[in-house]
Amino acid sequence: GQQVQQSPASLVLQEGENAELQCNFSSTATRLQWFYQHPGGRLVSLFYNPSGTKHTGRLTSTTVTNERRSSLHISSSQTTDSGTYFCAIDYNQGKLIFGQGTKLSIKP
Amino acid sequence: EAAVTQSPRSKVAVTGGKVTLSCHQTNNHDYMYWYRQDTGHGLRLIHYSYVADSTEKGDIPDGYKASRPSQENFSLILELASLSQTAVYFCASSDSGQIYAEQFFGPGTRLTVL
């Protein structure tokens, strides 16, 4: 079936290091969104990025549509970046399918 | 930015009881969605709606009903709550189900069925 694979499942870094999160999908995506979930559960949309590169602050999302992959890069990580990051894909069905998430822990 | 609110924010229900979760959005969006999230997992789509008075089944609709009485409101109904329905439930809305439509999420409702 149509899948969304995220890697790594978990990542532990020291504050100041860069983080690279990956999302791979199984067929053409018409919609792709990256989310951050706070440790307390609140879900925040980071990027709506079905193709190309987008930046906001220390975050960069790059989606290469024909290679069926997207990445989320966090530069100079901070302890407040800790949480779970989700990639979600729409395979032209009008609904999002979520990956399992990457749990990021930034140590001071 | 779209405003999506959910009520209640948390609820404890008994097995076999009826539970209604409510969602309200104020940005005139056509599409609304209900997801559930189990601990340590991503979100899965239960029901969605693209117009008032109409709902569609998502990927895991069994045991759930949905109601869209108006464009602003979308409810999720558990007629006979079960232990396996303990989860966090998120509502979302988007301007359109077509491409380039970002989804905006509510804060979630934590449901515990005992």
Side-chain angles (χ1 to χ4, degrees):
Chain A
Q2 292 168 325
Q3 303 276 341
V4 181
Q5 298 290 341
Q6 289 188 245
S7 61
S10 63
L11 184 60
V12 180
L13 297 173
Q14 289 294 131
E15 194 169 26
E17 292 184 315
N18 298 331
E20 187 83 12
L21 284 58
Q22 301 291 339
C23 175
N24 292 279
F25 40 99
S26 56
S27 61
T28 303
T30 55
R31 181 165 47 177
L32 186 150
Q33 236 173 305
W34 280 97
F35 295 90
Y36 166 67
Q37 187 166 39
H38 288 261
R42 189 166 67 95
L43 201 63
V44 176
S45 178
L46 296 175
F47 290 104
Y48 176 80
N49 188 21
S51 66
T53 298
K54 291 190 174 182
H55 303 275
T56 180
R58 295 179 294 105
L59 305 180
T60 301
S61 171
T62 299
T63 299
V64 184
T65 307
N66 60 357
E67 296 182 10
R68 299 176 183 173
R69 61 178 176 86
S70 183
S71 64
L72 178 67
H73 182 84
I74 305 172
S75 63
S76 303
S77 63
Q78 302 174 359
T79 56
T80 51
D81 295 329
S82 296
T84 304
Y85 292 79
F86 290 100
C87 171
I89 305 288
D90 182 354
Y91 291 109
N92 198 26
Q93 296 177 338
K95 58 183 183 180
L96 287 175
I97 299 173
F98 281 73
Q100 294 296 302
T102 293
K103 185 174 183 179
L104 179 64
S105 298
I106 306 298
K107 297 189 177 301
Chain B
E1 187 172 332
V4 181
T5 56
Q6 295 182 230
S7 62
R9 293 295 311 279
S10 67
K11 183 171 181 65
V12 178
V14 296
T15 303
K18 182 177 181 178
V19 176
T20 300
L21 307 182
S22 300
C23 178
H24 180 77
Q25 54 98 359
T26 59
N27 266 43
N28 207 32
H29 283 174
D30 293 323
Y31 281 70
M32 296 186 74
Y33 310 81
W34 275 108
Y35 295 86
R36 70 174 276 173
Q37 184 180 31
D38 296 285
T39 303
H41 291 83
L43 281 67
R44 293 182 291 168
L45 182 66
I46 306 170
H47 285 288
Y48 65 102
S49 167
Y50 52 84
V51 68
D53 295 322
S54 177
T55 63
E56 306 294 329
K57 292 181 179 180
D59 297 320
I60 53 164
D62 293 345
Y64 302 93
K65 291 184 180 179
S67 173
R68 183 91 181 270
S70 63
Q71 187 186 41
E72 299 82 14
N73 296 294
F74 192 35
S75 297
L76 185 68
I77 303 150
L78 291 66
E79 295 279 3
L80 295 170
S82 66
L83 294 174
S84 64
Q85 293 177 312
T86 293
V88 179
Y89 292 84
F90 287 94
C91 176
S93 72
S94 67
D95 190 34
S96 167
Q98 302 302 314
I99 60 173
Y100 306 132
E102 183 176 357
Q103 289 191 16
F104 298 89
F105 281 75
T109 294
R110 185 173 298 275
L111 175 65
T112 303
V113 182
L114 301 176

